[in-house]
Amino acid sequence: MFYNGGKGNKDQNTNEVNDNLITQSSTPISQDNSFDIPSNENINNGGEQNIQNQQLPPPRIKRARRNKNLKGPSSFDRYIQGMAAKHKGLEQSLKEQGINESVVSFIKRMVIASVLVGVVIGSVTVIVFLKIGLNIFLSSALGLMLGAAGFEFSFSQFLMYPSKKKKSNGKDVEKNILFAARDLIISLRSGMPLFNALVSVSTGYGATSREFAKIVERVQLGTSLENAIDETVSETKSESFRKLMLQASVSIKAGANVVESMQEIVDDLSRERVIQLRAYGQKLNAIAMFYMLFGVILPSMGIAVVTILTTFIALIVVTPELLYGVLVGIIFLQIVFLQMIRSSRPVFTM
């Protein structure tokens, strides 16, 4: 009885210990160590949301479908853009000449103008040849060829207009650069500051004064004097102006005497002018000799000799049309020689 009773007590004690463990495990965890366990509903909702996100198409597919409806550039626009890419220096030339227009729009205008020139040349050519008596097929072919040639020539000339204008502006600056430089030196010798001397020569000397006015304008906008000179020199096409003002900029940066350095440049420019005048005189003698030979002697003597020979040998029949052709050739030679003399003439003044 004692043994069985002990066993019963032992079992009862074991059951009490198990009940205490179950009670402790069922007690809630304190708030300091609490954590949330996701429920099945939240897990299902998150899974459905992930599935929906996976089913959405990427944005780039929508953008690609949207771009399919847009029209690309036309062949004419691509041609204009290709021409703009070939002429990379055209944008800088337009800015320097004060033409507030993009390269693409400028080339587009020039293409339209060239097409009009080609159409006019081709139409006039067809009409003239039809009047002469050629058939319409040959007249149309010649008109098409001359119209295409007129388009190409006019288009190239139109595109070169900004650069040609820039060169002509450089020649205009060369005309009065010596007078303006001497006036500038006189003002500096009288004790006037360099900026005030530049202001005094910024008017009265045409294109040369406009170059000095650019320096004055940049200084008034807050640029230092030497930087304003360097920026203006980088844009000009006049070699004499570049030499003069670069020497002034170097003298300012080095703290040297600006007047003496500029006087040396003016003396060098004067000597270069004398050398150029002598070279022009020698060239003019050769041009005058060829002009007398091909523009005066050969036409007059040639017509006289041909007229005398035709009285003995009927090789050439002198007709009014032939004389008109000779007259046109003489006029053309006169224009050529005058253009040669004009192009070789110095553009400066002493």
Side-chain angles (χ1 to χ4, degrees):
M1 292 292 293
F2 179 78
Y3 177 75
N4 291 331
K7 185 176 180 180
N9 292 330
K10 186 177 180 180
D11 293 335
Q12 184 178 0
N13 291 331
T14 302
N15 293 328
E16 290 177 358
V17 171
N18 293 330
D19 293 334
N20 291 330
L21 291 173
I22 293 171
T23 304
Q24 291 177 358
S25 62
S26 63
T27 56
I29 301 173
S30 63
Q31 294 180 358
D32 296 334
N33 297 326
S34 63
F35 59 91
D36 295 331
I37 298 174
S39 61
N40 292 329
E41 183 178 1
N42 293 331
I43 292 174
N44 293 331
N45 293 333
E48 293 177 357
Q49 186 175 2
N50 292 331
I51 293 172
Q52 292 177 358
N53 291 332
Q54 290 178 359
Q55 292 177 354
L56 291 176
R60 60 180 182 179
I61 296 176
K62 291 183 178 181
R63 287 198 297 268
R65 291 177 180 175
R66 201 177 296 122
N67 291 333
K68 287 181 180 179
N69 298 324
L70 297 177
K71 294 182 179 179
S74 62
S75 58
F76 179 71
D77 293 334
R78 288 196 297 269
Y79 172 75
I80 297 298
Q81 292 174 1
M83 295 299 298
K86 291 180 181 179
H87 298 81
K88 297 181 180 179
L90 186 59
E91 183 177 2
Q92 184 65 25
S93 299
L94 292 175
K95 290 181 180 179
E96 292 176 356
Q97 298 306 317
I99 301 175
N100 298 323
E101 191 175 7
S102 64
V103 178
V104 174
S105 62
F106 177 78
I107 293 178
K108 187 179 293 186
R109 278 199 309 116
M110 296 302 104
V111 168
I112 295 173
S114 301
V115 168
L116 293 177
V117 171
V119 169
V120 170
I121 292 175
S123 302
V124 171
T125 303
V126 171
I127 294 172
V128 169
F129 282 115
L130 287 176
K131 291 292 183 181
I132 292 174
L134 294 178
N135 56 24
I136 187 171
F137 177 76
L138 186 57
S139 300
S140 301
L142 292 174
L144 183 61
M145 292 174 59
L146 292 178
F151 168 78
E152 291 292 336
F153 178 76
S154 59
F155 183 63
S156 61
Q157 294 298 315
F158 288 156
L159 288 183
M160 292 173 62
Y161 168 74
S163 59
K164 285 185 176 181
K165 187 178 179 182
K166 186 176 179 180
K167 292 180 181 179
S168 65
N169 291 339
K171 291 181 180 180
D172 293 337
V173 174
E174 292 286 340
K175 290 181 179 179
N176 297 317
I177 186 64
L178 279 180
F179 295 108
R182 288 166 183 162
D183 191 359
L184 184 64
I185 291 173
I186 292 172
S187 299
L188 292 175
R189 289 187 187 279
S190 64
M192 187 181 294
L194 179 58
F195 177 73
N196 294 339
L198 291 173
V199 173
S200 66
V201 296
S202 62
T203 56
Y205 295 101
T208 307
S209 296
R210 288 194 290 270
E211 295 295 325
F212 288 111
K214 292 179 182 178
I215 300 176
V216 175
E217 183 180 359
R218 285 188 168 97
V219 174
Q220 291 176 346
L221 291 175
T223 309
S224 61
L225 183 58
E226 54 271 19
N227 290 336
I229 292 173
D230 293 338
E231 291 176 2
T232 306
V233 164
S234 64
E235 296 176 357
T236 186
K237 277 293 183 179
S238 174
E239 291 295 331
S240 300
F241 182 82
R242 182 179 291 110
K243 290 179 182 178
L244 182 67
M245 298 314 297
L246 275 179
Q247 187 63 39
S249 176
V250 171
S251 300
I252 293 171
K253 293 176 182 177
N257 191 349
V258 179
V259 179
E260 297 299 329
S261 59
M262 293 182 70
Q263 184 63 53
E264 293 178 359
I265 296 298
V266 170
D267 294 338
D268 292 338
L269 293 176
S270 300
R271 287 191 290 269
E272 290 179 1
R273 298 290 192 271
V274 173
I275 295 172
Q276 290 178 8
L277 285 175
R278 291 176 180 174
Y280 172 68
Q282 295 176 358
K283 187 183 295 184
L284 192 61
N285 292 332
I287 293 175
M289 183 184 67
F290 282 104
Y291 172 74
M292 293 295 294
L293 178 62
F294 293 101
V296 178
I297 298 174
L298 186 61
S300 59
M301 294 295 293
I303 292 174
V305 170
V306 170
T307 304
I308 293 171
L309 288 177
T310 53
T311 58
F312 300 100
I313 305 171
L315 295 177
I316 300 175
V317 179
V318 179
T319 59
E321 289 80 8
L322 179 61
L323 294 177
Y324 286 136
V326 172
L327 180 61
V328 172
I330 293 172
I331 294 173
F332 178 75
L333 284 175
Q334 300 289 332
I335 295 173
V336 169
F337 278 109
L338 288 175
Q339 186 64 30
M340 290 174 62
I341 294 171
R342 182 182 178 183
S343 61
S344 61
R345 183 178 59 190
V347 295
F348 56 82
T349 55
M350 296 293 292

